[in-house]
Amino acid sequence: MTKKIELLAPAGNYAAFLAAVENGADAVYMGGKLLNARQFAGNFEDEELQKAIDYAHVRGVRILLTLNTLVLDSEMQEAVEYAARAYEMGADAFIIQDMGLAANLKKAVPGIPIHASTQMTVYNLEGVRSLEKAGFERVVLARELGIGEIREICRNTGLEIEVFVHGALCISYSGQCLMSSMIGGRSGNRGKCAQPCRMYYSLARDGKNLKSSYLLSPKDICYIDHLAELVDAGVASFKIEGRMKSPEYVATVVGTYRKYLDLLQQEQRKLPGETPVEANQKQISGPGVSEQDRHQLLQSFNRGGFSKGYLLGKTGPEMMAYHKPKNWGTYLGTALARDSSTNSVKIRLENTLGNGDGIEIWSGKACEESPGGIITKIVLDGGKQVKRANSGHTVWVSVIRGNIEKGSRVYKTSDKEMLEQAAASFAKPSRKADIKAAFKMKAGELPELILEDFNGNIVSARGGSLPEKAVNRPLTGDRISEQLKKMGSTPFNVVELNIDMDNDIVIPISELNNIRRRAAELLESKRVLAGKPEHGLQNNPTYFPGNTADLSYSLKKPKISAMFYHVNRDMELDRVNADRLYIPLKDILDRDTGEQITKVRSQGKEVYAYIPAVIRGKQTELLIKNARTVREKTDGFLAGNIGVGELLRDVLGENVKLMGDYTLNVLNSSTLGFFKEAGYKGAALSYELNLTQLASIACPGDFEAEIGVYGRIPVMTSEYCPVGGSVGNAAPHRCGTECKNGVFHLKDRKNAAFLVRCDCLDCRSTIFNSDILFAPDLLDDICKTGAAYLRMSFIDEISQEVYDIVNLHRDMIGGGRNTPSAQRTMEIIRSRGITKGHLQRGV
């Protein structure tokens, strides 16, 4: 290991920040009050943020500020100014999701370091390269990648690569989830996710329920056993999730990972005679993790244990927490009896239990709250009251209320002793930075202490009086060394001390202490100042689109596009009355569909090849193999991810025609400008914008903005297959293609049915909204936004319905919507359940 690997810790408040720093984090990521993806965390006001930055920098810790949400036009000016202000405070880097914000920051604050959030859904080398061109210094990879993919990316880029190693795992690719947004208006892209993935669902095939549980709730990941492989792969930063977690959680998890990273570094020290290159190429084998440390990680927070996520390949049910979506804690024992008169429960223990510990007794019934609480009294079976009981004991505990059945499993959800130890670890400042010191004391000269850190910061402090000739005992070098190394409450640790002094002279010990104190204060101030940039906001834009209320409406009639997630076998594409068709790659390669496409294009209509936001494995191979053939058959490509666009350019050249899909999360005019400069022909706007926001978007000239007006919106793209994992009860690639045996829906507790479509080529799933986006009463206003295209999307409609729905919108744009045919079509759509999405509410 030739360079230090960064351990990156979360902090949702100042106490969690201290917990991270004092337990060994190399860097801490946190959010201010603006535009961060954990809006329900405590977060940091400016004054507290400045305090944290200074505290961290003195101790050699970096601060990464999260601005990892999408930005509206009306917020862009404030966002840029806020980032510039935080940069001037000394924030070391900024984690960004919004491409428009990233572009504006690089223009306004040229030196600002930016990192690409995992919300950007970067999963391939092409995505990393595209972000390098945009000025990013680091990329946080999607959590769905395996170790081989991570290694391939790390070894072929100069950018730093950051990987999550512990904490919650989203079932959807980050940045590709609209479920919370569409169901309840709380957008994950805006930091307000309501976590619908942690809710109870039933899986139905052809309308018949097959399985019910927390079908979309994955376990947390834990890569503590795989740090060595990740180091060997070239990962620069190991990230722990948890800005919504307690300071004690942060302390325990960070401290544990710090321990094993340090052990790993010790193990990898170069052997005598080994060259640095040989040391770097040596295969790393990490230290074994103790059972006590595993237990502490589990006790801190887990959902039915931990999983390896996708690090070692795709898995099935073993990565899911089907039974309960919240913290399980650790297994404690079995409930034997209940005394309702004293609210006590008799438990046979298989773990230790103490007063102040929290327990939960599982009812075993779906969606039912589990009785539990903080233990205030423990009585052994013989009647003796104790403060703590061990495994093998049978005890009565109280106070526990609720219906408890004999044989119920009991879990310890919190451990008072462990929490107290964790809290003690950051109760007082103890983190110190190593420094060098040089002390000079000569007759006739004021004594001087020079302190120097390992970043090149040097300070000196002189005494206030000259040394005197020693009358009794002179001040020895050993005594001076002992005193100067007593750095006490200062944030420094002297690891190297040089003393240059005359014999037989002396100064008071109190004077020596004063010199040491002044020097430490000077070095602390210098380290704080060294962490601040020389230049902050240099090119302050005076105007961003959206800052004014002047909305210019377009009188130009928009064209119509039709998006097909698959093409029905009986579909006659020339009957689809749209100006542009988006057709999936596999359908374009189908001979019959290919012939239809030729006919459609001869009629003057455009056809674009639809490439999803996530293509990996066989889908990538299929695209690369057939890209040139597809280009000859079509007018261009609809790219759902920046990595897809970059890949197409690599294969087909810079002049390939690209349209950006809604999955690029275009929420503001600046992002449209970015994709215009990147060579895209146009882009679909986010489904999360309302009419006012859509109308305020300033679209660049010769750039086609597109707005979705009809269809089931995809609300999740997941590398996990709920069909294979639930029905097949196996890893997706071993499920026997269960997804082909019927039509599958996930039903929530309100019986809303979300269509599930699976890609058998790479075993990937897409979940579609239960209601259809349809807002005929708003169509006139949508047409006035200036969008070049209005899009209809089709996933489960029969062919005749596709023709009718496109014709309906064509007629409505022309002013006709009251014909009997139009009314029948609208009634059919409404009967299936409709929504206006965010067209009126926004995010």
Side-chain angles (χ1 to χ4, degrees), residues 736-750:
T737 60
E738 283 283 350
C739 57
K740 291 185 176 180
N741 300 322
V743 177
F744 291 87
H745 290 83
L746 284 166
K747 294 183 177 180
D748 66 13
R749 287 180 291 177
K750 295 181 179 179

Side-chain angles (χ1 to χ4, degrees), residues 406-466:
K406 182 179 179 180
S408 295
R409 294 170 67 85
V410 185
Y411 289 84
K412 180 162 67 171
T413 54
S414 65
D415 186 308
K416 181 185 178 184
E417 186 176 285
M418 196 178 109
L419 290 173
E420 288 176 344
Q421 290 174 353
S425 71
F426 60 91
K428 295 180 180 179
S430 60
R431 178 81 175 260
K432 294 180 181 291
D434 289 343
I435 61 171
K436 297 180 287 187
F439 182 71
K440 182 180 180 182
M441 188 170 70
K442 298 286 187 177
E445 300 178 12
L446 293 174
E448 181 183 27
L449 176 63
I450 298 173
L451 299 182
E452 180 181 359
D453 66 16
F454 287 87
N455 295 325
N457 296 304
I458 303 174
V459 298
S460 67
R462 293 176 179 270
S465 57
L466 297 173

